Amino acid sequence: MTAVPLNLIIGPQHAGQFIRERVEQLVSADCIPEAHAVDMVCTAVLAGDPWMLADPGQRWIPHDDLRQEGDGLLVAELYVAQRCGATLLVENEWAQRTRQPVTVLHGYVLDSWHWARQTGLTEG
């Protein structure tokens, strides 16, 4: 699995803003030294880690290797409508919304992101 660089999805300015916000959260909430927080966030973002990346307005699709298998276990796409800590409100391609743990995205890769960060869905 290869994660798509965040700057290609939302542009370098928004990617930098997003990374700065995540670093500030780690520094203030977890008392992690800033240099270590920067390393943690950048490593996680480059790896496509859903825990670090999941945010409203995103569309996630199954990893390439899972799509090719066609096992039917993963829905074709998930949209993140809301995030509250470790819980997401996601919508599948059939417009069914459910609350799921962030870990539901571990079989997926971030595909697109409407940067407006609305609490409702931004793509149809």
mmCIF file of all heavy atoms in Angstrom, residues 78-82 88-100 118-123:
data_model
loop_
_atom_site.group_PDB
_atom_site.id
_atom_site.type_symbol
_atom_site.label_atom_id
_atom_site.label_comp_id
_atom_site.label_asym_id
_atom_site.label_seq_id
_atom_site.Cartn_x
_atom_site.Cartn_y
_atom_site.Cartn_z
ATOM 1 N N LEU A 78 -15.767 5.076 1.714
ATOM 2 C CA LEU A 78 -16.322 5.612 2.956
ATOM 3 C C LEU A 78 -16.053 7.107 2.993
ATOM 4 O O LEU A 78 -14.960 7.547 2.656
ATOM 5 C CB LEU A 78 -15.676 4.964 4.184
ATOM 6 C CG LEU A 78 -16.040 3.522 4.481
ATOM 7 C CD1 LEU A 78 -15.224 3.011 5.672
ATOM 8 C CD2 LEU A 78 -17.526 3.394 4.789
ATOM 9 N N TYR A 79 -17.053 7.864 3.406
ATOM 10 C CA TYR A 79 -16.906 9.304 3.592
ATOM 11 C C TYR A 79 -16.932 9.598 5.085
ATOM 12 O O TYR A 79 -17.784 9.082 5.809
ATOM 13 C CB TYR A 79 -18.052 10.059 2.914
ATOM 14 C CG TYR A 79 -18.094 9.856 1.426
ATOM 15 C CD1 TYR A 79 -18.893 8.866 0.865
ATOM 16 C CD2 TYR A 79 -17.324 10.633 0.577
ATOM 17 C CE1 TYR A 79 -18.931 8.665 -0.496
ATOM 18 C CE2 TYR A 79 -17.346 10.440 -0.784
ATOM 19 C CZ TYR A 79 -18.160 9.456 -1.316
ATOM 20 O OH TYR A 79 -18.182 9.260 -2.672
ATOM 21 N N VAL A 80 -16.017 10.404 5.547
ATOM 22 C CA VAL A 80 -15.986 10.785 6.959
ATOM 23 C C VAL A 80 -16.830 12.050 7.111
ATOM 24 O O VAL A 80 -16.507 13.097 6.557
ATOM 25 C CB VAL A 80 -14.544 11.039 7.450
ATOM 26 C CG1 VAL A 80 -14.546 11.490 8.900
ATOM 27 C CG2 VAL A 80 -13.692 9.795 7.267
ATOM 28 N N ALA A 81 -17.929 11.923 7.847
ATOM 29 C CA ALA A 81 -18.816 13.062 8.072
ATOM 30 C C ALA A 81 -18.428 13.817 9.336
ATOM 31 O O ALA A 81 -18.482 15.046 9.359
ATOM 32 C CB ALA A 81 -20.263 12.596 8.171
ATOM 33 N N GLN A 82 -18.049 13.086 10.376
ATOM 34 C CA GLN A 82 -17.661 13.702 11.642
ATOM 35 C C GLN A 82 -16.608 12.836 12.322
ATOM 36 O O GLN A 82 -16.545 11.635 12.102
ATOM 37 C CB GLN A 82 -18.849 13.820 12.609
ATOM 38 C CG GLN A 82 -19.925 14.748 12.180
ATOM 39 C CD GLN A 82 -21.093 14.728 13.168
ATOM 40 O OE1 GLN A 82 -21.378 13.729 13.805
ATOM 41 N NE2 GLN A 82 -21.761 15.856 13.281
ATOM 42 N N LEU A 88 -15.817 7.801 14.452
ATOM 43 C CA LEU A 88 -16.169 8.500 13.226
ATOM 44 C C LEU A 88 -17.637 8.282 12.910
ATOM 45 O O LEU A 88 -18.192 7.224 13.211
ATOM 46 C CB LEU A 88 -15.375 7.954 12.036
ATOM 47 C CG LEU A 88 -13.862 7.974 12.101
ATOM 48 C CD1 LEU A 88 -13.290 7.236 10.898
ATOM 49 C CD2 LEU A 88 -13.359 9.402 12.149
ATOM 50 N N LEU A 89 -18.252 9.268 12.276
ATOM 51 C CA LEU A 89 -19.537 9.080 11.623
ATOM 52 C C LEU A 89 -19.183 8.955 10.153
ATOM 53 O O LEU A 89 -18.667 9.902 9.545
ATOM 54 C CB LEU A 89 -20.473 10.263 11.863
ATOM 55 C CG LEU A 89 -21.829 10.189 11.152
ATOM 56 C CD1 LEU A 89 -22.630 8.975 11.642
ATOM 57 C CD2 LEU A 89 -22.615 11.466 11.366
ATOM 58 N N VAL A 90 -19.386 7.757 9.588
ATOM 59 C CA VAL A 90 -19.021 7.515 8.200
ATOM 60 C C VAL A 90 -20.263 7.200 7.383
ATOM 61 O O VAL A 90 -21.270 6.718 7.910
ATOM 62 C CB VAL A 90 -17.992 6.369 8.049
ATOM 63 C CG1 VAL A 90 -16.675 6.736 8.690
ATOM 64 C CG2 VAL A 90 -18.521 5.062 8.597
ATOM 65 N N GLU A 91 -20.160 7.477 6.092
ATOM 66 C CA GLU A 91 -21.232 7.150 5.158
ATOM 67 C C GLU A 91 -20.633 6.310 4.049
ATOM 68 O O GLU A 91 -19.568 6.633 3.519
ATOM 69 C CB GLU A 91 -21.844 8.425 4.584
ATOM 70 C CG GLU A 91 -23.022 8.146 3.668
ATOM 71 C CD GLU A 91 -23.773 9.402 3.280
ATOM 72 O OE1 GLU A 91 -24.061 10.229 4.155
ATOM 73 O OE2 GLU A 91 -24.060 9.544 2.079
ATOM 74 N N ASN A 92 -21.336 5.221 3.695
ATOM 75 C CA ASN A 92 -20.843 4.371 2.612
ATOM 76 C C ASN A 92 -21.458 4.820 1.289
ATOM 77 O O ASN A 92 -22.199 5.805 1.232
ATOM 78 C CB ASN A 92 -21.122 2.890 2.903
ATOM 79 C CG ASN A 92 -22.602 2.567 2.991
ATOM 80 O OD1 ASN A 92 -23.444 3.269 2.435
ATOM 81 N ND2 ASN A 92 -22.926 1.501 3.693
ATOM 82 N N GLU A 93 -21.146 4.086 0.218
ATOM 83 C CA GLU A 93 -21.630 4.485 -1.105
ATOM 84 C C GLU A 93 -23.137 4.358 -1.263
ATOM 85 O O GLU A 93 -23.702 4.868 -2.230
ATOM 86 C CB GLU A 93 -20.895 3.713 -2.211
ATOM 87 C CG GLU A 93 -21.231 2.235 -2.264
ATOM 88 C CD GLU A 93 -20.233 1.378 -1.512
ATOM 89 O OE1 GLU A 93 -19.649 1.842 -0.525
ATOM 90 O OE2 GLU A 93 -20.039 0.218 -1.905
ATOM 91 N N TRP A 94 -23.812 3.728 -0.324
ATOM 92 C CA TRP A 94 -25.268 3.608 -0.361
ATOM 93 C C TRP A 94 -25.944 4.627 0.550
ATOM 94 O O TRP A 94 -27.119 4.514 0.866
ATOM 95 C CB TRP A 94 -25.698 2.199 0.030
ATOM 96 C CG TRP A 94 -25.043 1.161 -0.821
ATOM 97 C CD1 TRP A 94 -25.283 0.900 -2.133
ATOM 98 C CD2 TRP A 94 -24.017 0.271 -0.417
ATOM 99 N NE1 TRP A 94 -24.458 -0.101 -2.572
ATOM 100 C CE2 TRP A 94 -23.664 -0.513 -1.535
ATOM 101 C CE3 TRP A 94 -23.340 0.057 0.778
ATOM 102 C CZ2 TRP A 94 -22.687 -1.488 -1.497
ATOM 103 C CZ3 TRP A 94 -22.367 -0.913 0.812
ATOM 104 C CH2 TRP A 94 -22.052 -1.680 -0.313
ATOM 105 N N ALA A 95 -25.184 5.612 0.996
ATOM 106 C CA ALA A 95 -25.671 6.708 1.843
ATOM 107 C C ALA A 95 -26.134 6.229 3.220
ATOM 108 O O ALA A 95 -26.941 6.873 3.871
ATOM 109 C CB ALA A 95 -26.778 7.493 1.148
ATOM 110 N N GLN A 96 -25.594 5.113 3.683
ATOM 111 C CA GLN A 96 -25.901 4.615 5.017
ATOM 112 C C GLN A 96 -24.851 5.157 5.980
ATOM 113 O O GLN A 96 -23.652 4.960 5.769
ATOM 114 C CB GLN A 96 -25.894 3.089 5.048
ATOM 115 C CG GLN A 96 -26.923 2.482 4.150
ATOM 116 C CD GLN A 96 -26.706 0.986 3.971
ATOM 117 O OE1 GLN A 96 -25.574 0.519 3.905
ATOM 118 N NE2 GLN A 96 -27.801 0.248 3.887
ATOM 119 N N ARG A 97 -25.308 5.822 7.023
ATOM 120 C CA ARG A 97 -24.391 6.391 8.022
ATOM 121 C C ARG A 97 -24.339 5.503 9.255
ATOM 122 O O ARG A 97 -25.365 5.025 9.736
ATOM 123 C CB ARG A 97 -24.848 7.786 8.446
ATOM 124 C CG ARG A 97 -24.562 8.841 7.426
ATOM 125 C CD ARG A 97 -24.858 10.213 7.983
ATOM 126 N NE ARG A 97 -24.392 11.227 7.041
ATOM 127 C CZ ARG A 97 -24.257 12.499 7.345
ATOM 128 N NH1 ARG A 97 -24.560 12.941 8.551
ATOM 129 N NH2 ARG A 97 -23.833 13.355 6.449
ATOM 130 N N THR A 98 -23.121 5.331 9.746
ATOM 131 C CA THR A 98 -22.921 4.577 10.984
ATOM 132 C C THR A 98 -21.777 5.200 11.764
ATOM 133 O O THR A 98 -20.911 5.852 11.201
ATOM 134 C CB THR A 98 -22.558 3.096 10.711
ATOM 135 O OG1 THR A 98 -21.377 3.036 9.920
ATOM 136 C CG2 THR A 98 -23.693 2.371 10.021
ATOM 137 N N ARG A 99 -21.793 4.968 13.063
ATOM 138 C CA ARG A 99 -20.672 5.378 13.910
ATOM 139 C C ARG A 99 -19.712 4.186 13.953
ATOM 140 O O ARG A 99 -20.123 3.049 14.183
ATOM 141 C CB ARG A 99 -21.153 5.734 15.309
ATOM 142 C CG ARG A 99 -22.045 6.946 15.309
ATOM 143 C CD ARG A 99 -21.779 7.841 16.512
ATOM 144 N NE ARG A 99 -22.602 9.032 16.425
ATOM 145 C CZ ARG A 99 -22.215 10.171 15.855
ATOM 146 N NH1 ARG A 99 -21.024 10.266 15.352
ATOM 147 N NH2 ARG A 99 -23.011 11.215 15.798
ATOM 148 N N GLN A 100 -18.443 4.478 13.707
ATOM 149 C CA GLN A 100 -17.429 3.441 13.649
ATOM 150 C C GLN A 100 -16.169 3.933 14.351
ATOM 151 O O GLN A 100 -15.902 5.133 14.381
ATOM 152 C CB GLN A 100 -17.067 3.123 12.188
ATOM 153 C CG GLN A 100 -18.197 2.609 11.343
ATOM 154 C CD GLN A 100 -18.527 1.157 11.654
ATOM 155 O OE1 GLN A 100 -17.676 0.394 12.104
ATOM 156 N NE2 GLN A 100 -19.769 0.784 11.425
ATOM 157 N N GLN A 118 -16.554 20.472 6.850
ATOM 158 C CA GLN A 118 -17.941 20.609 7.290
ATOM 159 C C GLN A 118 -18.318 19.395 8.108
ATOM 160 O O GLN A 118 -17.735 18.331 7.967
ATOM 161 C CB GLN A 118 -18.856 20.751 6.087
ATOM 162 C CG GLN A 118 -18.511 21.958 5.230
ATOM 163 C CD GLN A 118 -19.277 21.973 3.942
ATOM 164 O OE1 GLN A 118 -20.106 21.122 3.689
ATOM 165 N NE2 GLN A 118 -18.988 22.959 3.124
ATOM 166 N N THR A 119 -19.352 19.525 8.923
ATOM 167 C CA THR A 119 -19.791 18.388 9.700
ATOM 168 C C THR A 119 -20.692 17.478 8.884
ATOM 169 O O THR A 119 -20.870 16.332 9.223
ATOM 170 C CB THR A 119 -20.539 18.826 10.978
ATOM 171 O OG1 THR A 119 -21.603 19.680 10.602
ATOM 172 C CG2 THR A 119 -19.609 19.507 11.935
ATOM 173 N N GLY A 120 -21.237 17.972 7.784
ATOM 174 C CA GLY A 120 -22.006 17.142 6.878
ATOM 175 C C GLY A 120 -21.101 16.635 5.770
ATOM 176 O O GLY A 120 -19.952 17.015 5.657
ATOM 177 N N LEU A 121 -21.628 15.771 4.958
ATOM 178 C CA LEU A 121 -20.820 15.246 3.855
ATOM 179 C C LEU A 121 -20.624 16.305 2.788
ATOM 180 O O LEU A 121 -21.489 17.131 2.546
ATOM 181 C CB LEU A 121 -21.501 14.022 3.250
ATOM 182 C CG LEU A 121 -21.528 12.833 4.188
ATOM 183 C CD1 LEU A 121 -22.270 11.679 3.557
ATOM 184 C CD2 LEU A 121 -20.122 12.407 4.534
ATOM 185 N N THR A 122 -19.487 16.249 2.151
ATOM 186 C CA THR A 122 -19.142 17.271 1.174
ATOM 187 C C THR A 122 -19.040 16.723 -0.238
ATOM 188 O O THR A 122 -18.859 17.464 -1.168
ATOM 189 C CB THR A 122 -17.802 17.921 1.539
ATOM 190 O OG1 THR A 122 -16.830 16.893 1.632
ATOM 191 C CG2 THR A 122 -17.893 18.656 2.850
ATOM 192 N N GLU A 123 -19.151 15.412 -0.397
ATOM 193 C CA GLU A 123 -19.100 14.829 -1.722
ATOM 194 C C GLU A 123 -20.292 13.898 -1.881
ATOM 195 O O GLU A 123 -20.807 13.368 -0.916
ATOM 196 C CB GLU A 123 -17.823 14.005 -1.913
ATOM 197 C CG GLU A 123 -16.573 14.836 -1.812
ATOM 198 C CD GLU A 123 -15.361 13.986 -2.080
ATOM 199 O OE1 GLU A 123 -15.298 13.370 -3.137
ATOM 200 O OE2 GLU A 123 -14.505 13.924 -1.196
#
